[in-house]
């Protein structure tokens, strides 16, 4: 959604660059969260400096002159609009009537209209259409009532309903950065010289790897000599004159060391994060397999007793969930269904304590997935998180957490986090099959060998597919619409291929079960209409009749399929012929040509694949 950053230095110049420059660079690392406007506030020797504008950072860098401003304390924001269109006025930070308080926010304040009406009646004048601005005026109002700046901030936070990660500077208590969180992510980074506050770890990875994840209903501040965190209790949401009630939190045991290197979050010579992250997949898969291999004991026992395993996720994570559910059925004979997180509420009546629910989310913060977990927990189901972010909300709220080890993913379109999710779920299915003895030894041994080989296989497939995808992008880039068809595990792989193409190249792309395509989609097919078929191996003969149906209507056909099926591959206009992989593991490898095709098609059409319009990497609104 939006990205926020706060930096507090022990003294000026400690980062060897002006504070404004450091804020700009941290915001660049957060731009994947939203990029329609940008702004910052710095407490300088001349008071509170605020600069903000509509537009991406690179486009407004000279207008905002980040590099000209220095100080010891500053906050910055990159926006993905929810309330109020992108404009200079709606960009954050937002200020109160006195201009002493500056607030940045990620999330949605659900009761902002109510608060705004009350404040207008008390004489406050609003400048923007945002929900955020009410927070600055609320702080001002409580200061007028005699509260200290921090107590006013705390009280303001206690009145807010909805999701927020927020941060504020107040000239009346210069040298502190206030913060509060409910639902939207917020991380503190610590070093000897400086303290950071951010929506995500990569923002400050260059400076700090010691982090504290701020939890729901926590408020606090960073100052020169301390980090104070308190937990709000008994939130009444009433505009009254009582101070907010909060308990001091001892966070010492919550300080974590993150083994991500700053290089992992930089482009490392690639033109875009997405391309870098596609190439990082073999390493990410290898890291994930190594770390999970020894950690699954409890998970396997828990799943083996489940009456049913539901797997929930959104977007790309849903596609991984779909693959996971098919594998649990197929390999471990466990009843399993994948459900889109935002649809869970319509399934929840049938959920009970015999069910285990796996929630899949790279960020661990997607609100639809979090809400699904809360709902099923109420029904007694055990929950298991599969996420890439340590201590994320999903990891904390689930009964058990497992981590993919993809490292930071900056490109908005998920690539390496997807492959690591697929591999994690495949590993679980294989281990369960072993535990429950649901497949023959010979098959188990084939799958175990291939799992170990997966990073190498993926690496060769990426290298072999890249030049072909680049060449093919000039054809696909001219099309207006495209189908992606598959059967079995090829279907979620096709769904992910279609999603990648539409997300970043803005070509309408639709996925369908191949066998179902004759019941409607085929009506659109005429000369040159592009249809991609995902063929993983087992289903090759079954799918061929669907290929023929499309070809008979003039379709331009593409296949992603294994080598060695010339009798079939010769019928396509274009083929990615890939190394053979066991059918059950092929989804983790056969997605690569589609990722590369989407990437190069976006480039051929002149779009930035890292920042697709209207999309955000982490979606914390329902
Ligand atoms: C957004 C992102 C997608 C992602 C989805 C779920 O829509 O743009 O790339 O797949 O959220 O995110 P999660 O963090 O839950 O995997």
């Amino acid at each position: 959604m939006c990205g926020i950053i706060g930096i507090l230095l022990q003294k000026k110049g400690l980062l060897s660059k002006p504070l404004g420059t450091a804020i700009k660079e941290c915001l660049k690392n957060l731009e994947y969260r939203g990029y329609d406007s940008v702004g910052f506030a710095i407490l300088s020797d001349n008071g509170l400096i605020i600069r903000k504008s509509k537009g991406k950072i690179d486009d407004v860098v000279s207008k905002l002159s980040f590099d000209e401003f220095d100080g010891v304390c500053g906050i910055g924001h990159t926006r993905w609009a929810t309330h109020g269109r992108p404009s200079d006025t709606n960009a954050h930070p937002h200020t109160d009537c006195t201009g002493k308080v500056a607030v940045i926010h990620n999330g949605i304040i659900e009761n902002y209209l109510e608060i705004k009406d009350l404040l207008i009646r008390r004489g406050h004048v609003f400048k923007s259409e945002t929900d955020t601005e009410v927070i600055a005026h609320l702080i001002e109002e409580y200061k007028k009532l005699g509260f200290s700046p921090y107590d006013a901030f705390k009280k303001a936070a206690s009145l807010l309903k909805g999701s927020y990660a927020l941060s504020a500077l107040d000239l009346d208590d210069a040298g502190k950065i206030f913060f509060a969180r409910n639902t939207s992510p917020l991380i503190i980074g610590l070093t000897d010289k400086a303290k950071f506050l951010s929506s995500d770890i990569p923002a400050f990875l260059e400076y700090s790897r010691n982090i504290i994840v701020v939890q729901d209903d926590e408020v606090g501040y960073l100052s020169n000599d301390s980090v104070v965190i308190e937990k709000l209790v008994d939130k009444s949401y009433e505009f009254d004159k009582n101070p907010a009630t909060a308990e001091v939190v001892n966070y010492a045991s919550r300080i974590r060391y993150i083994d991500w290197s700053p290089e992992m979050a930089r482009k490392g010579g690639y033109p875009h994060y997405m391309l870098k992250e596609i190439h990082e997949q073999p390493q990410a898969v290898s890291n994930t397999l190594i770390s999970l291999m020894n950690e699954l004991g409890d998970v396997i026992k828990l799943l083996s007793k489940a009456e049913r395993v539901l797997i929930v996720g959104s977007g790309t994570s849903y596609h991984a969930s779909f693959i996971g559910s098919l594998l649990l059925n197929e390999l471990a004979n466990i009843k399993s269904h994948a459900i889109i997180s935002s649809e869970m509420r319509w399934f929840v009546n049938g959920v009970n304590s015999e069910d285990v629910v796996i929630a899949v989310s790279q960020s661990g913060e997607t609100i639809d997935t979090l809400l699904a977990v809360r709902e099923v927990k109420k029904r007694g189901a055990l929950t298991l998180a599969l996420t890439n972010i340590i201590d994320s909300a999903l990891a904390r709220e689930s009964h058990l957490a497992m981590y993919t080890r993809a490292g930071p993913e900056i490109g908005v379109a998920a690539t390496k986090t997807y492959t690591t999710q697929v591999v994690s779920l495949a590993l679980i299915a294989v281990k369960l099959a072993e535990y429950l003895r649901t497949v023959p030894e010979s098959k188990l041994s084939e799958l175990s060998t291939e799992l170990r080989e997966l990073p190498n296989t993926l690496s060769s497939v990426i290298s072999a597919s890249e030049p072909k995808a680049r060449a093919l992008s000039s054809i696909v880039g001219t099309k207006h619409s495209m189908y992606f068809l598959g059967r079995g595990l090829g279907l979620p792989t096709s769904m992910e291929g279609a999603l990648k193409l539409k997300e970043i190249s803005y070509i309408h792309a639709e996925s369908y079960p191949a066998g179902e395509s004759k019941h409607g989609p085929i009506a659109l097919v005429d000369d040159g209409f592009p249809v991609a078929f995902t063929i993983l191996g087992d289903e090759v003969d079954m799918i061929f009749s669907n290929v023929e149906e499309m070809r008979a209507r003039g379709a331009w056909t593409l296949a992603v399929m294994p080598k060695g099926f010339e009798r079939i591959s010769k019928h396509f206009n274009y083929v990615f012929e890939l190394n053979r992989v066991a059918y059950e593991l092929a989804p983790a490898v056969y997605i690569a040509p589609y990722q590369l095709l989407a990437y190069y098609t976006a480039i051929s059409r002149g779009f930035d694949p890292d920042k697709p319009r209207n999309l955000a990497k982490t979606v914390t609104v329902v």
Side-chain angles (χ1 to χ4, degrees):
M1 308 275 70
C2 303
I4 71 175
I5 180 78
I7 305 180
L8 189 124
L9 304 177
Q10 292 293 100
K11 57 180 191 244
K12 224 187 326 196
L14 276 181
L15 298 180
S16 319
K17 55 184 87 160
L19 185 61
T21 309
I23 290 177
K24 175 185 71 182
E25 290 170 357
C26 292
L27 284 177
K28 282 287 297 170
N29 294 336
L30 285 174
E31 232 186 349
Y32 68 89
R33 302 180 63 85
Y35 30 82
D36 60 48
S37 344
V38 58
F40 66 92
I42 286 179
L43 271 170
S44 78
D45 300 338
N46 305 321
L48 191 60
I49 289 163
I50 294 180
R51 292 284 183 281
K52 56 185 192 167
S53 171
K54 179 185 165 186
K56 290 185 190 170
I57 298 175
D58 285 343
D59 299 338
V60 298
V61 86
S62 55
K63 179 175 168 192
L64 298 192
S65 321
F66 289 90
D67 305 337
E68 285 173 22
F69 299 102
D70 205 1
V72 291
C73 190
I75 55 178
H77 187 270
T78 176
R79 180 170 189 243
W80 186 84
T82 56
H83 292 66
R85 71 203 149 80
S87 70
D88 290 358
T89 315
N90 288 334
H92 299 214
H94 292 284
T95 47
D96 65 333
C97 299
T98 66
K100 288 181 169 183
V101 179
V103 176
I104 53 174
H105 163 224
N106 166 35
I108 287 183
I109 306 300
E110 286 162 11
N111 56 341
Y112 87 102
L113 281 176
E114 206 179 294
I115 299 174
K116 191 169 177 175
D117 284 350
L118 186 144
L119 290 167
I120 289 172
R121 286 200 301 278
R122 287 175 165 252
H124 291 260
V125 178
F126 282 78
K127 300 174 276 292
S128 76
E129 302 155 281
T130 66
D131 49 346
T132 306
E133 194 182 340
V134 298
I135 305 165
H137 293 275
L138 254 185
I139 297 170
E140 178 192 1
E141 187 62 26
Y142 274 104
K143 279 169 42 184
K144 273 198 232 156
L145 292 172
F147 284 52
S148 72
Y150 176 57
D151 284 341
F153 176 83
K154 204 159 48 167
K155 180 70 184 178
S158 79
L159 290 180
L160 305 178
K161 289 183 184 163
S163 57
Y164 53 82
L166 49 104
S167 178
L169 297 181
D170 191 330
L171 252 190
D172 288 331
D173 196 358
K176 284 195 180 119
I177 299 182
F178 300 143
F179 62 83
R181 168 198 165 135
N182 188 39
T183 308
S184 305
L186 191 62
I187 323 279
I188 294 170
L190 302 170
T191 70
D192 294 345
K193 299 176 185 172
K195 299 180 181 77
F196 298 84
L197 189 69
S198 171
S199 304
D200 204 352
I201 300 162
F204 55 68
L205 211 46
E206 184 182 343
Y207 306 107
S208 170
R209 294 200 224 169
N210 290 309
I211 64 146
I212 306 168
V213 178
V214 181
Q215 299 187 357
D216 283 349
D217 286 331
E218 288 186 341
V219 289
Y221 61 82
L222 310 180
S223 72
N224 219 338
D225 48 8
S226 58
V227 174
V228 168
I229 304 181
E230 296 182 86
K231 180 109 185 156
L232 289 168
V233 286
D234 301 330
K235 284 165 78 175
S236 67
Y237 305 108
E238 290 299 322
F239 183 87
D240 56 27
K241 294 181 185 165
N242 305 322
T245 329
E247 288 164 359
V248 175
V249 172
N250 180 353
Y251 54 81
S253 62
R254 280 170 41 195
I255 301 176
R256 298 259 182 282
Y257 178 76
I258 296 295
D259 61 358
W260 295 356
S261 66
E263 292 69 35
M264 287 166 94
R266 288 198 205 109
K267 284 188 196 156
Y270 287 93
H272 297 98
Y273 285 111
M274 182 178 177
L275 190 59
K276 172 177 173 259
E277 287 157 4
I278 290 172
H279 281 274
E280 283 173 343
Q281 292 182 108
Q283 189 62 55
V285 165
S286 167
N287 293 346
T288 302
L289 284 172
I290 290 168
S291 99
L292 279 185
M293 207 68 95
N294 301 319
E295 285 174 15
L296 285 180
D298 288 349
V299 171
I300 299 302
K301 278 188 205 132
L302 195 131
L303 291 173
S304 68
K305 292 188 202 118
E307 176 63 25
R308 184 173 65 149
V309 177
L310 300 176
I311 314 187
V312 296
S314 300
T316 290
S317 293
Y318 167 69
H319 299 152
S321 306
F322 192 167
I323 289 169
S325 71
L326 292 176
L327 288 176
L328 288 184
N329 279 289
E330 188 146 333
L331 289 175
N333 298 356
I334 288 181
K335 261 188 259 165
S336 178
H337 306 279
I339 298 169
I340 292 173
S341 304
S342 58
E343 292 293 307
M344 189 65 199
R345 71 189 68 177
W346 288 279
F347 285 87
V348 87
N349 277 352
V351 174
N352 61 38
S353 57
E354 308 285 293
D355 293 321
V356 173
V357 177
I358 304 179
V360 182
S361 166
Q362 78 78 20
S363 63
E365 304 287 347
T366 300
I367 190 69
D368 288 328
T369 308
L370 273 174
L371 291 176
V373 162
R374 288 176 193 161
E375 280 294 328
V376 299
K377 275 171 81 180
K378 279 190 219 149
R379 311 274 163 162
L382 272 170
T383 53
L384 171 59
L386 177 62
T387 172
N388 197 43
I389 306 293
I390 202 159
D391 276 356
S392 54
L394 193 66
R396 289 196 314 274
E397 292 198 25
S398 304
H399 296 102
L400 265 177
M402 294 191 305
Y403 293 103
T404 50
R405 308 276 294 179
E409 187 177 71
I410 311 289
V412 168
T415 52
K416 61 176 178 167
T417 54
Y418 170 72
T419 353
T420 54
Q421 290 168 348
V422 171
V423 163
S424 305
L425 292 165
L427 180 66
I428 291 175
V430 171
K431 292 270 174 208
L432 262 170
E434 193 177 2
Y435 187 76
L436 297 169
R437 298 176 190 279
T438 44
V439 294
E441 279 295 331
S442 54
K443 178 75 187 170
L444 270 181
S445 133
E446 178 205 340
L447 289 173
S448 305
T449 312
E450 289 212 16
L451 262 174
R452 276 196 300 277
E453 274 305 303
L454 222 44
N456 290 335
T457 318
L458 186 52
S459 187
S460 345
V461 164
I462 292 170
S463 310
S465 303
E466 187 158 11
K468 292 186 180 180
R470 194 185 295 127
L472 191 56
S473 66
S474 60
I475 301 175
V476 172
T478 62
K479 308 284 184 186
H480 301 293
S481 192
M482 183 160 174
Y483 285 148
F484 287 71
L485 307 183
R487 285 176 180 259
L489 291 167
L491 175 59
T493 310
S494 290
M495 290 164 79
E496 178 59 11
L499 180 66
K500 287 288 91 79
L501 187 72
K502 86 171 76 147
E503 276 184 314
I504 60 170
S505 74
Y506 315 141
I507 292 171
H508 170 249
E510 191 178 343
S511 176
Y512 234 80
E516 186 71 4
S517 60
K518 56 189 175 291
H519 298 290
I522 202 165
L524 269 65
V525 174
D526 56 9
D527 269 352
F529 189 102
V531 185
F533 287 87
T534 311
I535 305 172
L536 304 181
D538 282 11
E539 77 293 33
V540 66
D541 289 316
M542 273 187 103
I543 214 169
F544 193 59
S545 58
N546 308 125
V547 178
E548 288 294 53
E549 287 152 14
M550 291 295 164
R551 277 165 37 85
R553 270 100 193 151
W556 177 92
T557 54
L558 160 72
V560 170
M561 64 182 294
K563 289 175 186 156
F565 291 99
E566 283 74 23
R567 68 191 154 84
I568 291 188
S569 61
K570 67 181 181 204
H571 295 285
F572 292 96
N573 294 88
Y574 204 97
V575 191
F576 285 94
E577 279 182 298
L578 310 181
N579 305 28
R580 281 201 181 209
V581 183
Y583 168 77
E584 294 82 357
L585 304 178
V589 176
Y590 281 33
I591 190 60
Y594 287 141
Q595 295 170 335
L596 289 160
L597 178 61
Y599 171 79
Y600 282 107
T601 304
I603 300 294
S604 76
R605 287 164 63 88
F607 300 124
D608 178 352
D610 284 342
K611 299 190 191 91
R613 68 185 179 215
N614 304 336
L615 298 181
K617 184 139 191 82
T618 310
V619 179
T620 50
V621 290
V622 284

